Amino acid sequence: MTFIGRAEQLSVLDRTFETVRATGAGQLVSMQGRRQVGKSRLLEHFVTSRQMPHAFVTAVKHASVPLQMERVRREITSSTLPITDADLLFGTPASGWSEVLDRLVVACRTTPSVVILDEFPWAVDTAPELEGLLQARWDRELERLPVLFVIVGSDLAMMERLTEHDRPLFGRARRMIVPPMNPRECAPPDRGLPRQGAAPVRRLPRGEERAVNAFDTYLVTGGMPRLVVAAAAAPSLLDFVHQQLGSDTSELVVQAQLALAAEFPADVQARSVLAVIGADEVGATTFSTASAGLPLPSGAARTAVTRALNVLRESKRLIAVETPAASPTSARLKRYRIADPSLRFWFRFVEPELARIARGRSDVAQASFAREWRTFRGRAIEPVVHEAVLRLAPDLAVLGDVDRVGGWWNRQNNPEIDLVATSRGALVAAGSVKWRTDTRFGSADAASLRRSASVLNGSESAAMIAICPAGGVVGGWGGARRNPPLQEGARAGGGVFKRIQTTGR
């Protein structure tokens, strides 16, 4: 499988290992990230591409001790570049984790090495003493040896608990989060791919078209590596989606199902609430809408949604809770959206069509995507734009010390403002996101933004921001000016914006 992206994470691992090599002292890293996000692939690429002696062990869920120890033996001795004396030390299975750690101490005494224990929470489930054993070996021996020891897990809440103050590894493990690939890493090959299946659009210059494609690919794949690689191999993003919707065993269809089955093996209500939120046309759901979407009596539905939202938000980190920026927090104005773009796309275009795809009517799913993709992307891009604007704010004099970027709405959702930037609660800027490539942001759009923003306190002195890949021809903002479209850049953190044009106040 092709390896792409992950420059930031590889850089962190490189620096950490160089510290081990330079000081001769151990480093303990707790790596966490969602399933299928590419943690194991990242570490495999790290140790093999750098030619580092390593032991890569993956725990087996619910495995007996003998089975797990035999797997440890086989994985360590079959390494492409094994740790010192691997055949001698692990030629026979250990009796348990305590003996595995003892043997690793001997193997890592002299040569800088990497030890990776993948699916660490599964190992702890079957051997609760492992946390304490690792803490004792770390404090007494491993910390003084030239070893980078990485424990890996997909359950974010559990991995965080493993390093809390009342747990054995507290204060010892450095936390490292592996997120989905960012939009820049999702950029397709530089070949000017078509972006959508609707009517022909005005052609953007090659670099700018590739930048828009990067965001579109991110909205479909969510930055999940396998999907990104598969999308890059297709003639276009449209072709990729149509191919994937053509089979109920495709990567796009199956990957989310497997992840959801792992996340919710028995919690049917949380899974149902997630589906209700994901099916919403506008991409964000209120508590009342989520309750109405469950086939339960009103009181039971509200109780089920309350419990499910706690699981989805706190334990699984799969939904985001939004409130209007530049307004006092109100429970009545809360909205819930799926935080992961790949699941957001899946629940909108794949999950409702699973039965049809399975019985050979993938054409219905494909037609739905072709018909609704443009509207969906216009809303789905907004959280991505919010994050990008917040990251770029220090580079834009008009935004400067902005500390929050979000949307704004009232109970009637009239008006809704795509982007509101605040500093310590005070309004700094209001903006409009027109994610289109065929029509520039024009004077009518600017006038509409000003009317909507007039309901906000401080709008008279706030900056007005337009974000549109096609660029803009705007009159009434201090004179008509022609602004270039979105351009590709190479900003740290994944931004594909080279700049955001702000015209006047």
Side-chain angles (χ1 to χ4, degrees), residues 49-62:
S49 64
R50 274 63 170 175
Q51 289 294 293
M52 297 171 177
H54 62 275
F56 199 130
V57 175
T58 303
V60 179
K61 193 171 186 177
H62 303 317

Side-chain angles (χ1 to χ4, degrees), residues 107-121:
C108 297
R109 285 194 181 279
T110 56
T111 304
S113 306
V114 180
V115 174
I116 299 164
L117 181 47
D118 203 357
E119 301 295 359
F120 186 73

Side-chain angles (χ1 to χ4, degrees), residues 277-298:
I277 296 173
D280 192 274
E281 293 287 342
V282 299
T285 306
T286 63
F287 183 91
S288 298
T289 303
S291 301
L294 294 182
L296 295 171
S298 176

Side-chain angles (χ1 to χ4, degrees), residues 177-503:
I177 298 175
V178 179
M181 297 171 72
N182 60 51
R184 184 171 189 272
E185 293 173 316
C186 293
D190 187 7
R191 57 194 179 199
L193 304 183
R195 292 169 299 284
Q196 52 202 358
V201 297
R202 187 176 65 84
R203 192 77 170 180
L204 291 177
R206 177 64 63 87
E208 294 155 14
E209 186 172 14
R210 185 165 180 257
V212 175
N213 274 305
F215 282 104
D216 286 352
T217 302
Y218 179 74
L219 294 180
V220 172
T221 67
M224 303 306 279
R226 288 183 180 274
L227 294 178
V228 173
V229 171
S236 73
L237 183 63
L238 174 64
D239 289 325
F240 166 73
V241 175
H242 276 222
Q243 292 167 4
Q244 296 288 308
L245 291 177
S247 170
D248 61 354
T249 61
S250 70
E251 195 81 40
L252 181 63
V253 172
V254 170
Q255 183 166 291
Q257 291 176 306
L258 295 176
L260 291 170
E263 294 282 2
F264 306 106
D267 196 335
V268 178
Q269 294 296 357
R271 172 69 171 75
S272 299
V273 170
L274 192 64
V276 171
I277 296 173
D280 192 274
E281 293 287 342
V282 299
T285 306
T286 63
F287 183 91
S288 298
T289 303
S291 301
L294 294 182
L296 295 171
S298 176
R302 294 178 67 86
T303 299
V305 170
T306 298
R307 292 174 177 171
L309 288 175
N310 287 333
V311 172
L312 293 169
R313 182 180 55 196
E314 301 297 336
S315 299
K316 302 302 182 182
R317 317 290 169 84
L318 290 177
I319 65 168
V321 183
E322 298 178 332
T323 56
S327 295
T329 300
S330 170
R332 294 180 178 272
L333 293 176
K334 281 184 179 179
R335 286 179 174 177
Y336 304 90
R337 65 172 172 83
I338 295 179
D340 176 76
S342 65
L343 285 179
R344 198 175 186 188
F345 179 90
W346 189 85
F347 275 108
R348 183 66 187 86
F349 291 108
V350 181
E351 199 264 356
E353 306 294 342
L354 286 174
R356 291 190 182 95
I357 295 172
R359 63 174 182 259
R361 290 306 309 270
S362 57
D363 59 309
V364 178
Q366 292 162 345
S368 174
F369 167 74
R371 183 175 59 251
E372 300 172 16
W373 161 242
R374 183 164 178 159
T375 300
F376 171 84
R377 75 200 279 253
R379 294 302 299 263
I381 196 66
E382 289 180 11
V384 184
V385 170
H386 294 164
E387 181 182 348
V389 172
L390 183 61
R391 185 171 59 250
L392 290 171
D395 299 335
L396 301 170
V398 72
L399 295 181
D401 60 350
V402 160
D403 53 26
R404 183 186 177 189
V405 178
W408 187 92
W409 57 93
N410 56 22
R411 293 186 64 181
Q412 295 75 35
N413 295 322
N414 183 25
E416 285 190 76
I417 304 173
D418 299 336
L419 185 150
V420 172
T422 62
S423 175
R424 294 178 288 278
L427 179 66
V428 175
S432 178
V433 180
K434 302 297 183 185
W435 202 254
R436 60 199 186 202
T437 58
D438 52 350
T439 307
R440 293 180 183 272
F441 188 95
S443 299
D445 297 312
S448 177
L449 172 59
R450 279 206 172 278
R451 285 194 301 272
S452 298
S454 66
V455 304
L456 301 176
N457 292 330
S459 62
E460 301 82 4
S461 59
M464 298 287 115
I465 300 177
I467 299 176
C468 179
V473 182
V474 182
W477 288 10
R481 306 185 187 181
R482 298 183 74 85
N483 291 333
L486 175 79
Q487 296 189 15
E488 183 185 10
R491 298 190 54 79
V496 181
F497 290 106
K498 183 176 182 182
R499 58 179 174 272
I500 298 176
Q501 296 296 329
T502 57
T503 309

